[in-house]
Amino acid sequence: MKRYNPKEIEPKWQSQWQSDGIYKALDNSKKPKKYVLEFFPYPSGNAMHVGHVRNYTIGDTLARFNRMNGYNVLHPMGWDGFGLPAENYAIKTGISPRVAIDRNTKRFKQQLMAMGFGYDWSREVDSTDPKYYKWTQWFFLYLFKKGLAYRQESLQWWCPKDKTVLANEQVEAGRCWRCGHVVEKKALKQWFFKITDYADDLEKDLEDLDWSESIKTVQRNWIGKSIGCEADFKIKGQAKVIKVFTTRIDTIYGATFLVLAPEHYLLKEIVTKDQKAEVDRYIDLAMSKSDIQRQDSDKKKTGVFSGAYAINPIHDQPIPIWIADYVLGTYGSGAIMAVPGHDQRDMDFATEFSLPIIEVIEPVFGEPQGDEVHKDKIIAVLRDPRNNKVIVLDWGLRQKRHGGNMLIGGSVEKGEDTVAAAEREIREETGYSDIKFVRKLTSRGHGYFYSNVKNQNYCGHCSGLLFELGSDKKVSTNLDEGEKNKFNLKWMDEDSVDQILDDGIHQAFYKRLVLNECYTGEGIMIHSGDYDGISSSEMRDRVLSDLVKQKKAKEKVNYKIRDWLISRQRYWGAPIPIIYCTDDGIVAVPEDELPVLLPEIEKYEPSVDGRSPLANVDSFVNTICPKCGKPAKRETDTMDGFACSSWYFLRFADPHNDKQPFSKDKVDYWLPVDEYIGGAEHAVMHLLYARFWTKVMHSGGLINFSEPFKTLKNHGMILAPDGAKMSKSKNNTIEPETLLEQGYGADTIRIMELFIGPWDQSANWSVEGMAGANRFLQRIWTICSEFLESKTKPKNDETSETLKRVINQTIDKTSKDIHNLSFNTAIAAQMECLNQLYKLKEVDNFSNRESWSFALKTLLQLLAPFAPHISEELWSKFDQNESIHLSSWPAADEIYLKKDKQTIVIQVNGKLRSEIEISFDLSEAEITDLALKQSKVNNAIKGKNIKKTIHVKDRLVNFVT
């Protein structure tokens, strides 16, 4: 028997598949289509490690599975070659990005082919090819002509290391997403795409996408849709108005001051003369900080008074206007109405500068039952300042509706003030008598609850009070009969109490009394004029309606998302197809002059003044205006690399079209992508940009769909054996070439990648796992080879039906698991099937040739999407003329999926006494007879009368005595 040798069979079949073109997608097929695509890869010099291989293995498995299930499958591959890595490499080594990318692409492609991935290489595209980026430039002009591409000067993120601007999405925690260097702001004229025009559609259409909720949540948060109110605050003594966006107009009576962003456009006009110097100093300091630093909730609040006052439109009273860097000019109107009673940042600012704090919402917890007794109550915090601990009453979670961990609470008796009531309750419930009153909250809270002690529904109108323990001096507790032995006292660290309190109003009061956190939720309005007593939700509607009628406000939808900054002051990217003419201004390059070719240059370093290296290439810069024919200058910025990857999935449908970016008919046939596969790292950038470009094309009638990717699969990472992330800097990457050289073979690697754990969870690479995957394939090779070489004479025997049952159950399990992306359990099912086949082989030694041939060939078909080489090689040895990957996926025979027997439970008076295995065709009487013959059942009912026998079909029999 010839041994399994991946080094021999894998290159043979890879060459044969390419020669036969079995993976070519047909544009005119009558089969239903399936478009499977992995994220557009960047061909780095490091090429692939086994973490990358997982991504492509998942896509390839799905493509092969769908092809065998009768689909016309498009599974293409291409290269996202523009971007900083190649350019930074060129700066470091002097090697042209063109040379480096061509070399890297060649190596990356060799790796992919060595893994046996079934791509339609006839559709290969490269974003750095002028034949491709010609159409990226065409789309730029398409956006420009529609008013969706514009140029303006503004402060932008600047990476001093990479010497380029960055989009908001490319700044992570105040650092460049590529190199990790701290970024800064720089005023430059830049090109933008108006993604904000599609913000509503981008947010709304997420609902219908088959994407993970985590990715959709990230996009929703980035888009940041807020439905609220834009209120007009007139400036006292001036005709000017500050427009303030807020989602909580219900709190307007609590707005005790306004805060403007340091970059607000009205600042210079409203600042008083005596405050100007101080304000200017503050603005200079604020503008040197990143948005991340400015919004750090842990930092001390800073600000400066403008000297001016605004008129609160709800009561026409003046409130001071402050300037603070925690407000950003890029969100809303760059101005907020500060409500320190119900916004933590505003409270911290008001506390820092001794500004008024007015609470206008009292919290309400619980639901009314209709029979409540209304009582004035107290909730008291007793804190020990000697060790920063707080006393908690543990009532236990066994209480009906009111129990668990609570603060000290009780009713206010007639004629008693709240402080006295709280002191009494503390003594009665804890025994501590040496207590000192510290403070009382200025507003109350309301809680609906059931008192297990009083056996009554209550609505408590609660006051919150803080006390400190002076000493451990105690008196006897004085508990009601219903309270005795119902709770335990425990001292807890004060910073952990709010996390374990089991009642909302107790938790809210604790946060305000001890942690100095304001209440930000819903409730009942107070200190709000004629609106007092209504709910905050009703208040929002009423006050907005009233202000709109008075022409002091309007309803408005706001978004956090900002327009996509597309300009890059770097060389290695698609040139922006724009010309600047002294007479005609900004002029689009005529379409028949595309592509604007990226010239080869010798020096790749960006200028210190922020200009692209192309600005130093006179032959590129100097041109003729297409409108007037006079000398003009080209735009020297290049496009963000994400521009090229925002439409590549469309080009794969028609990759060789030199007349247009794609044929509408071909794109409408193939798109949208059915299965899009990749990591979660591009949750905002690529996925958001691709959705935007698709919506622009759809609204322009270029395509018939508005979302590019029906289903998004975000796989988990493959980590190093010690659990660390694989990276070249850590010298812990495992490359597929190394494993191939060791003789494991691509099929073993593929099996390992999918069997290592659930596809969407991260897993550590395992040497033992590789060995196990290889043993599995070796055993398949062995049993198939032994069968083919066997000389056993054919005969009928009992294993035929068993073989059919085993293989049909494996077909069913594998099919369902692949459909559900449970690759690891699908492989496990095949492993179990193989174990069963080896056991049956010991019984009949392949005597039933027909059944064995069916079983083994079927197992190979089930294996084919996972391990394409070994399955193809063995398939060919069964004298099959067509590739296994073009064969039809086996269908399970339902007859063999039914179980012969079922285990049911036997109970006596609901208690388990025995279990029996029964045939499905038994009657209830026969099952009862079998159950009564069980010795444990017999003993349990001995001497008793059976009053009733309960049958639950296929599950249990219960004898009631």
Side-chain angles (χ1 to χ4, degrees):
M1 178 178 66
K2 188 176 181 181
R3 64 184 295 272
Y4 170 49
N5 185 0
K7 287 186 176 181
E8 178 184 319
I9 68 171
E10 291 183 351
K12 178 184 79 172
W13 285 112
Q14 289 159 14
S15 176
Q16 187 67 48
W17 293 331
Q18 286 303 118
S19 176
D20 293 344
I22 69 170
Y23 304 126
K24 283 188 177 180
L26 303 177
D27 294 323
N28 55 357
S29 173
K30 293 182 180 180
K31 296 179 179 179
K33 71 92 179 178
K34 189 74 74 171
Y35 189 171
V36 180
L37 183 66
E38 296 93 59
F39 283 10
F40 207 23
Y42 174 79
S44 70
N46 302 329
M48 291 195 301
H49 58 62
V50 293
H52 303 122
V53 171
R54 192 183 206 189
N55 181 42
Y56 305 117
T57 303
I58 291 170
D60 194 58
T61 300
L62 289 175
R64 292 178 182 279
F65 176 68
N66 282 297
R67 189 178 291 108
M68 294 176 72
N69 274 281
Y71 285 92
N72 180 27
V73 175
L74 173 57
H75 187 215
M77 178 51 66
W79 317 106
D80 187 19
F82 277 137
L84 284 176
E87 187 170 339
N88 288 341
Y89 182 74
I91 294 170
K92 182 179 179 180
T93 65
I95 297 174
S96 163
R98 174 78 277 154
V99 173
I101 287 296
D102 286 347
R103 179 191 64 200
N104 295 348
T105 299
K106 182 179 179 181
R107 184 183 177 206
F108 210 110
K109 184 174 181 178
Q110 288 172 340
Q111 285 186 307
L112 291 174
M113 295 183 78
M115 288 302 302
F117 296 131
Y119 295 116
D120 181 354
W121 288 108
S122 70
R123 294 174 182 258
E124 182 180 4
V125 299
D126 182 343
S127 68
T128 68
D129 185 340
K131 294 177 182 177
Y132 180 89
Y133 70 71
K134 168 185 178 177
W135 300 112
T136 304
Q137 293 173 340
W138 183 90
F139 278 119
F140 181 98
L141 296 178
Y142 182 80
L143 292 163
F144 177 67
K145 292 168 186 175
K146 285 186 165 290
L148 295 171
Y150 65 94
R151 188 178 187 241
Q152 75 173 24
E153 180 174 286
S154 60
L155 285 170
Q156 296 302 326
W157 293 118
W158 173 264
C159 176
K161 183 177 179 182
D162 285 336
K163 292 186 174 61
T164 189
V165 297
L166 302 168
N168 289 331
E169 296 90 340
Q170 294 168 332
V171 177
E172 298 173 351
R175 296 179 178 273
C176 172
W177 76 296
R178 280 285 188 193
C179 69
H181 199 282
V182 175
V183 297
E184 58 191 45
K185 285 287 182 76
K186 198 179 188 80
L188 294 168
K189 284 187 175 180
Q190 302 288 290
W191 282 95
F192 297 84
F193 287 157
K194 292 188 73 174
I195 193 171
T196 51
D197 278 14
Y198 288 82
D200 193 53
D201 287 341
L202 288 168
E203 195 272 344
K204 173 173 58 69
D205 292 349
L206 283 167
E207 188 66 30
D208 297 327
L209 293 178
D210 183 14
W211 293 15
S212 72
E213 280 305 314
S214 61
I215 296 295
K216 291 200 277 190
T217 297
V218 169
Q219 289 215 357
R220 286 193 188 99
N221 291 342
W222 189 263
I223 295 166
K225 181 178 180 179
S226 304
I227 300 174
C229 165
E230 187 178 74
D232 292 340
F233 284 72
K234 292 181 179 179
I235 300 172
K236 185 179 180 181
Q238 298 186 35
K240 296 179 177 62
V241 170
I242 296 174
K243 293 188 177 296
V244 173
F245 176 80
T246 177
T247 59
R248 293 300 303 268
I249 193 65
D250 52 311
T251 63
I252 191 169
Y253 275 93
T256 56
F257 55 100
L258 287 192
V259 183
L260 303 188
E263 55 266 61
H264 195 282
Y265 73 100
L266 278 179
L267 268 186
K268 293 181 180 179
E269 300 178 49
I270 68 170
V271 171
T272 59
K273 289 182 180 179
D274 57 338
Q275 289 293 104
K276 185 177 185 307
E278 190 176 353
V279 168
D280 287 345
R281 281 195 298 272
Y282 183 78
I283 291 174
D284 289 341
L285 177 64
M287 298 312 291
S288 68
K289 300 177 183 178
S290 72
D291 289 3
I292 304 298
Q293 293 170 314
R294 286 169 60 177
Q295 290 193 296
D296 184 357
S297 60
D298 293 330
K299 76 179 184 70
K300 181 181 178 181
K301 292 292 183 287
T302 63
V304 61
F305 178 44
S306 70
Y309 289 81
I311 303 300
N312 188 324
I314 198 65
H315 50 53
D316 295 327
Q317 297 299 310
I319 56 176
I321 302 172
W322 284 71
I323 301 136
D325 62 8
Y326 76 88
V327 177
L328 301 179
T330 55
Y331 180 68
S333 59
I336 65 165
M337 63 174 204
V339 184
H342 302 286
D343 183 281
Q344 194 61 44
R345 295 184 308 164
D346 296 344
M347 173 180 268
D348 295 342
F349 189 87
T351 303
E352 182 67 29
F353 293 98
S354 301
L355 295 168
I357 299 174
I358 299 175
E359 292 178 284
V360 295
I361 298 176
E362 289 185 338
V364 178
F365 292 91
E367 296 292 335
Q369 302 299 311
D371 61 346
E372 292 84 14
V373 174
H374 289 258
K375 299 277 288 185
D376 288 333
K377 301 185 77 66
I378 60 89
I379 294 174
V381 176
L382 180 59
R383 177 179 176 273
D384 189 341
R386 297 171 297 180
N387 54 20
N388 297 326
K389 289 184 179 291
V390 170
I391 205 163
V392 173
L393 278 59
D394 182 2
W395 288 83
L397 291 174
R398 290 171 297 175
Q399 307 296 339
K400 279 187 180 178
R401 285 169 44 202
H402 186 61
N405 294 307
M406 301 285 178
L407 299 172
I408 298 163
S411 298
V412 180
E413 295 178 355
K414 187 175 182 179
E416 192 177 34
D417 67 32
T418 53
V419 175
E423 289 174 339
R424 173 179 52 76
E425 289 290 347
I426 290 171
R427 286 193 299 270
E428 287 179 355
E429 295 187 355
T430 73
Y432 289 107
S433 59
D434 187 5
I435 53 177
K436 175 185 175 184
F437 170 66
V438 178
R439 70 185 181 99
K440 174 184 172 182
L441 293 177
T442 57
S443 63
R444 296 192 302 173
H446 310 275
Y448 293 92
F449 65 94
Y450 175 81
S451 171
N452 190 58
V453 174
K454 305 291 186 181
N455 194 29
Q456 174 66 53
N457 285 313
Y458 282 94
C459 178
H461 305 288
C462 306
S463 298
L465 305 97
L466 175 65
F467 291 82
E468 287 188 347
L469 189 67
S471 68
D472 293 331
K473 184 178 178 182
K474 278 192 173 188
V475 295
S476 298
T477 57
N478 185 21
L479 300 175
D480 293 343
E481 284 301 317
E483 293 178 314
K484 290 179 179 179
N485 303 316
K486 289 293 180 69
F487 65 83
N488 295 316
L489 295 178
K490 55 186 179 183
W491 287 96
M492 305 282 295
D493 291 332
E494 65 179 25
D495 58 357
S496 63
V497 169
D498 69 299
Q499 300 168 30
I500 59 97
L501 291 174
D502 292 308
D503 185 274
I505 198 165
H506 284 242
Q507 190 177 64
F509 277 9
Y510 185 82
K511 288 181 176 181
R512 291 160 70 191
L513 286 165
V514 179
L515 304 181
N516 294 315
E517 294 180 13
C518 63
Y519 178 69
T520 60
E522 304 286 344
I524 293 175
M525 303 309 303
I526 58 170
H527 305 145
S528 295
D530 294 339
Y531 303 96
D532 280 358
I534 65 173
S535 69
S536 51
S537 59
E538 183 183 353
M539 170 74 168
R540 275 194 292 280
D541 294 334
R542 282 181 54 178
V543 77
L544 174 59
S545 176
D546 292 346
L547 289 174
V548 169
K549 289 176 184 176
Q550 298 169 36
K551 297 184 178 179
K552 293 180 177 180
K554 63 180 180 181
E555 188 172 4
K556 187 176 181 181
V557 177
N558 197 57
Y559 297 91
K560 286 171 62 179
I561 191 173
R562 291 292 166 258
D563 283 338
W564 176 8
L565 174 63
I566 198 71
S567 298
R568 294 294 177 269
Q569 293 68 48
R570 300 300 296 254
Y571 162 70
W572 191 236
I576 293 176
I578 290 293
I579 292 171
Y580 301 105
C581 175
T582 304
D583 293 344
D584 295 308
I586 298 175
V587 181
V589 172
E591 288 183 18
D592 60 4
E593 293 183 14
L594 298 180
V596 176
L597 292 172
L598 186 66
E600 278 292 333
I601 62 176
E602 294 181 359
K603 294 184 178 180
Y604 307 100
E605 293 84 354
S607 307
V608 292
D609 60 3
R611 295 191 306 158
S612 161
L614 290 175
N616 300 318
V617 183
D618 291 341
S619 59
F620 176 83
V621 175
N622 297 317
T623 188
I624 299 298
C625 174
K627 280 190 175 181
C628 67
K630 293 180 181 179
K633 303 287 187 183
R634 289 192 188 279
E635 172 63 74
T636 58
D637 284 355
T638 54
M639 278 187 263
D640 179 8
F642 282 105
C644 288
S645 62
S646 291
W647 73 281
Y648 79 103
F649 44 90
L650 296 160
R651 186 65 175 175
F652 278 136
D654 193 14
H656 307 298
N657 195 328
D658 60 357
K659 304 299 182 186
Q660 55 189 147
F662 48 76
S663 157
K664 185 175 184 298
D665 288 343
K666 290 182 179 180
V667 161
D668 285 341
Y669 170 71
W670 283 114
L671 276 290
V673 175
D674 297 288
E675 302 280 0
Y676 199 36
I677 302 151
E681 65 272 14
H682 292 309
V684 171
M685 288 182 282
H686 163 60
L687 292 172
L688 196 63
Y689 297 153
R691 295 182 65 220
F692 163 58
W693 276 45
T694 301
K695 291 184 181 302
V696 170
M697 288 182 239
H698 177 253
S699 62
L702 299 181
I703 56 179
N704 285 340
F705 52 92
S706 62
E707 286 289 343
F709 316 119
K710 279 184 180 178
T711 302
L712 176 65
K713 305 285 197 277
N714 297 119
H715 60 78
M717 296 174 64
I718 297 293
L719 306 171
D722 62 356
K725 185 177 179 180
M726 288 191 188
S727 70
K728 186 180 179 183
S729 62
K730 294 181 180 179
N731 196 32
N732 66 351
T733 60
I734 299 170
E735 296 183 359
E737 291 105 323
T738 303
L739 299 172
L740 293 175
E741 289 167 4
Q742 293 172 355
Y744 279 112
D747 286 344
T748 295
I749 300 172
R750 293 165 62 111
I751 292 289
M752 169 65 176
E753 295 277 3
L754 298 179
F755 187 61
I756 199 170
W759 69 278
D760 57 347
Q761 297 179 21
S762 296
N764 296 3
W765 187 257
S766 166
V767 177
E768 295 80 7
M770 278 292 290
N774 190 253
R775 279 195 303 272
F776 168 56
L777 296 179
Q778 291 274 7
R779 295 184 74 213
I780 287 180
W781 179 272
T782 299
I783 197 168
C784 287
S785 299
E786 287 179 346
F787 171 76
L788 291 167
E789 295 171 7
S790 172
K791 304 301 181 182
T792 305
K793 292 181 180 180
K795 66 176 182 178
N796 294 321
D797 56 40
E798 295 178 359
T799 61
S800 176
E801 288 300 298
T802 307
L803 274 168
K804 290 177 182 177
R805 185 174 302 283
V806 167
I807 205 65
N808 276 282
Q809 289 178 355
T810 308
I811 293 171
D812 184 60
K813 174 68 172 168
T814 302
S815 302
K816 289 176 179 176
D817 284 353
I818 296 179
H819 181 76
N820 294 325
L821 273 68
S822 299
F823 304 116
N824 57 327
T825 56
I827 293 170
Q830 294 178 29
M831 290 178 172
E832 176 58 27
C833 174
L834 186 61
N835 289 336
Q836 293 294 326
L837 294 183
Y838 267 95
K839 290 178 182 177
L840 291 171
K841 175 199 163 220
E842 293 298 316
V843 174
D844 78 346
N845 195 27
F846 307 124
S847 62
N848 194 307
R849 305 292 294 179
E850 184 178 344
S851 295
W852 271 102
S853 179
F854 163 75
L856 293 173
K857 286 191 292 184
T858 300
L859 181 58
L860 293 176
Q861 288 178 296
L862 301 179
L863 180 68
F866 304 100
H869 306 90
I870 188 173
S871 56
E872 186 79 284
E873 175 72 11
L874 291 170
W875 181 257
S876 69
K877 293 183 182 299
F878 279 89
D879 296 327
Q880 302 296 310
N881 295 323
E882 186 181 48
S883 169
I884 192 172
H885 304 295
L886 299 180
S887 68
S888 295
W889 187 258
D893 189 333
E894 293 291 331
I895 292 175
Y896 294 102
L897 301 183
K898 295 178 180 177
K899 294 181 179 179
D900 288 330
K901 294 184 178 181
Q902 175 72 29
T903 299
I904 66 169
V905 169
I906 311 301
Q907 296 176 338
V908 176
N909 294 327
K911 291 185 178 181
L912 176 66
R913 296 300 180 182
S914 184
E915 292 180 348
I916 59 173
E917 196 174 63
I918 63 167
S919 298
F920 280 99
D921 56 357
L922 289 183
S923 66
E924 286 191 6
E926 290 172 320
I927 295 171
T928 300
D929 186 53
L930 278 174
L932 290 172
K933 291 178 179 178
Q934 306 303 306
S935 59
K936 290 183 179 179
V937 176
N938 239 311
N939 292 335
I941 63 176
K942 200 169 186 178
K944 300 176 183 177
N945 294 322
I946 298 176
K947 295 181 179 179
K948 183 166 56 174
T949 301
I950 301 170
H951 283 268
V952 179
K953 186 174 174 56
D954 299 335
R955 290 184 58 191
L956 65 83
V957 175
N958 182 25
F959 296 109
V960 180
T961 62

